[in-house]
Amino acid sequence: MTRKQYCDIFISGGGLAGLMTALSLADKFSNIICCDPNLEFDSDSSGLPQDRRVTALFNSSLDYLANLIPLEALLTDCGKRLSEIEIVEAGGKGKLIQTTSFKSHCIDRTEFGWVIPNENLRKALIAKVLQNPRITTLSKNGVEKVITRTKEAHILLSNGDRVVSRLVIGADGKNSRVRECLGINTNRISLPQSGITFNVRHQLPLSHKSIEIYKSGGPFTIIPLPGEDKYSSNIIWMDSSKNIDIYSHMDSNSFAMEVTKRSLGMVGNIEITSPLLKWSGTYQMANKLSHERAVLIAEAAHNLPPIGAQGLNLTINDIKLLNEQLDKSEDPGDFKVLKDYYSIRYLPTLLKFVGTNFLNLMSFSNILPLKIIRKEGANIFANNRQLQSMLIKFGLGEGLFEVKPFSRKE
Ligand SMILES: Cc1cc2nc3c(=O)[nH]c(=O)nc-3n(C[C@H](O)[C@H](O)[C@H](O)COP(=O)(O)OP(=O)(O)OC[C@H]3O[C@@H](n4cnc5c(N)ncnc54)[C@H](O)[C@@H]3O)c2cc1C
């Protein structure tokens, strides 16, 4: 027999974004439901598909996360401080042309942020969600349909149950079902490019620095893996779909040699230590971030190329603003509150979307003028400390200006 439940907030998606959102809103709302068709929300998280990715989280994001989970313990057990980002320009024949180094002390910080394995972050969030009596989790159960009305949203779940909620939050990833049900379109940027990510061991140490190597086809990023070991890193490699297809079908020795070559030997010889995870080069942003009784956050709203560690940091800013807006009314689905969320959040998100896609296109492209802009751009920033500091702050999401909500027509 199917059931009908009522709640204040319904969150579609139990990824990092959905879990953080549930915890962040649980102080204010007593009845939150979070569902996911692919997850078993259990205490040892054993039902979770393994996520070998790591995420670099900036200090402002970590400050916020510290309100939700025991962050100190997580960073001590499995985090790595990130205090330098090196941008490297490589020539067509794989030669190092120019290196620009951004150090956290340029902006008077000891670090930009920390690298955390997604798996550990997710386990810490799930543990807190399960302890919270205000949050109900629905394992292996997803959103099928959403219909919104002025006073509430009606949700049909994949097991046939129904939920009536004052607000629906779509945190259900880049193929968001909530977004689709609400009829919200996306702006898409599609390149004949793909990405792979995997872990490696290397000959030379890399301690608290990540390296982004730009060459036609896409960026190649080396991120030190958490822990004391200075010889293990995560690689994110974006290249033409044709090349990625060739690399991902190579035997492991040939692939390791190809990876060493693409890294310009900056960390010595490389050995592959994990399977490859692949994705396509389509990135998108929703045309609207809110709707009657509904809001979109995280990858449901913006799916960016993984450049400059922007994705989850941007999501944490979505969650911060959503909390600030929901503090303004007793009704979480208040029309003005949601409309203001959209108008404040849209421009900064669009800038990040355009910025990361532009960087990706410049890196992907073999067109000479774009290659010159890329090289000269890096040169200008390398030689101007003030510009460097501005760029770092923008990258860290600390904003160069504040956006006010548009005035609403009565
Ligand atoms: C290689 C790579 C490296 C990255 N590195 C960084 C980094 O260093 N720093 C950074 O800030 N960001 C980074 N990102 C981005 C970051 O990983 C993502 O922003 C983040 O993991 C996405 O979280 P999410 O919860 O929005 O989406 P997801 O993790 O995709 O979660 C969505 C959830 O929704 C569920 N779902 C699907 N359909 C339904 C349905 N019908 N009903 C209910 N639930 C549903 C799914 O099962 C899933 O669990 C990186 C991304 C990639 C690809």
Side-chain angles (χ1 to χ4, degrees):
M1 206 178 75
T2 58
R3 288 189 307 161
K4 188 170 185 178
Q5 300 178 68
Y6 293 83
C7 65
D8 296 319
I9 312 267
F10 181 89
I11 301 169
S12 175
L16 297 177
L19 296 168
M20 285 181 200
T21 309
L23 287 172
S24 72
L25 292 172
D27 279 345
K28 187 168 163 63
F29 299 100
S30 59
N31 193 351
I32 297 173
I33 296 179
C34 179
C35 80
D36 198 300
N38 302 312
L39 288 188
E40 195 72 62
F41 295 87
D42 57 15
S43 52
D44 64 357
S45 308
S46 56
L48 301 179
Q50 201 174 12
D51 184 348
R52 286 195 178 81
R53 287 178 302 167
V54 292
T55 295
L57 286 175
F58 305 139
N59 284 336
S60 55
S61 298
L62 293 169
D63 289 345
Y64 192 71
L65 206 51
N67 302 318
L68 310 179
I69 53 170
L71 187 69
E72 277 302 317
L74 184 68
L75 296 184
T76 312
D77 291 350
C78 48
K80 183 134 200 169
R81 201 181 285 276
L82 194 63
S83 51
E84 186 177 349
I85 298 171
E86 197 161 82
I87 308 285
V88 178
E89 177 66 29
K93 295 205 170 95
K95 268 200 192 141
L96 191 154
I97 296 184
Q98 172 179 284
T99 298
T100 311
S101 189
F102 296 90
K103 296 195 171 120
S104 58
H105 66 70
C106 287
I107 52 163
D108 302 321
R109 312 268 166 85
T110 47
E111 74 269 322
F112 292 124
W114 288 71
V115 178
I116 310 175
N118 282 14
E119 198 72 15
N120 299 72
L121 179 55
R122 197 152 62 148
K123 281 184 182 170
L125 288 164
I126 288 194
K128 278 304 234 184
V129 162
L130 291 175
Q131 283 164 17
N132 197 314
R134 295 174 150 226
I135 306 171
T136 305
T137 53
L138 305 178
S139 297
K140 300 273 177 192
N141 204 352
V143 167
E144 282 288 317
K145 207 167 168 187
V146 180
I147 297 172
T148 63
R149 297 277 176 264
T150 325
K151 294 216 163 112
E152 74 273 315
H154 296 256
I155 302 120
L156 173 66
L157 297 175
S158 45
N159 71 348
D161 285 355
R162 287 167 193 278
V163 181
V164 178
S165 179
R166 294 202 286 162
L167 174 67
V168 175
I169 300 177
D172 44 1
K174 57 184 172 192
N175 301 316
S176 171
R177 180 78 185 133
V178 170
R179 190 182 66 217
E180 192 187 336
C181 292
L182 299 176
I184 298 178
N185 291 325
T186 58
N187 288 313
R188 279 170 179 244
I189 296 183
S190 211
L191 293 176
Q193 184 195 44
S194 298
I196 35 176
T197 179
F198 47 93
N199 294 342
V200 296
R201 269 191 74 71
H202 37 82
Q203 205 179 9
L204 304 176
L206 183 71
S207 42
H208 299 284
K209 174 166 88 173
S210 90
I211 305 176
E212 287 190 16
I213 305 170
Y214 285 84
K215 180 175 170 272
S216 306
F220 177 98
T221 309
I222 310 173
I223 307 158
L225 277 178
E228 290 304 308
D229 182 3
K230 294 180 182 162
Y231 298 90
S232 292
S233 294
N234 175 256
I235 305 275
I236 302 175
W237 185 358
M238 289 153 76
D239 207 326
S240 69
S241 300
K242 193 173 137 224
N243 283 349
I244 291 291
D245 205 45
I246 295 172
Y247 301 142
S248 50
H249 287 96
M250 280 179 169
D251 65 75
S252 68
N253 282 345
S254 317
F255 180 62
M257 276 163 62
E258 208 57 54
V259 177
T260 305
K261 192 169 131 203
R262 182 63 180 83
S263 69
L264 309 181
M266 293 190 78
V267 285
N269 284 336
I270 285 178
E271 182 195 329
I272 315 298
T273 57
S274 81
L276 313 185
L277 177 79
K278 194 173 162 189
W279 71 94
S280 75
T282 299
Y283 303 103
Q284 58 188 357
M285 180 176 162
N287 288 340
K288 271 172 71 184
L289 303 180
S290 71
H291 186 271
E292 179 184 62
R293 295 275 155 194
V295 66
L296 297 177
I297 63 160
E299 292 213 335
H302 44 75
N303 169 222
L304 312 183
I307 292 183
Q310 295 298 322
L312 196 61
N313 286 289
L314 197 60
T315 291
I316 292 178
N317 285 337
D318 294 348
I319 299 171
K320 274 188 207 170
L321 180 69
L322 186 61
N323 271 270
E324 281 166 30
Q325 288 303 113
L326 295 191
D327 275 343
K328 294 184 179 160
S329 169
E330 281 307 306
D331 177 1
D334 183 297
F335 180 80
K336 179 170 183 338
V337 160
L338 298 184
K339 177 122 194 197
D340 283 352
Y341 170 83
Y342 163 34
S343 59
I344 298 170
R345 199 70 198 115
Y346 191 77
L347 187 57
T349 308
L350 184 66
L351 285 177
K352 283 279 159 77
F353 181 72
V354 172
T356 49
N357 275 291
F358 182 65
L359 278 178
N360 189 29
L361 179 68
M362 281 211 298
S363 173
F364 177 72
S365 172
N366 219 347
I367 303 168
L368 193 61
L370 283 182
K371 282 166 80 173
I372 294 171
I373 295 176
R374 193 168 82 203
K375 183 164 166 274
E376 290 310 315
N379 232 338
I380 292 168
F381 284 107
N383 296 320
N384 187 321
R385 218 181 134 99
Q386 216 169 359
L387 276 179
Q388 249 192 41
S389 148
M390 268 173 70
L391 183 70
I392 294 172
K393 286 192 173 162
F394 182 68
L396 295 180
E398 295 179 6
L400 303 175
F401 52 85
E402 241 181 77
V403 182
K404 298 255 177 343
F406 315 130
S407 60
R408 198 155 55 88
K409 281 191 193 138
E410 296 306 324

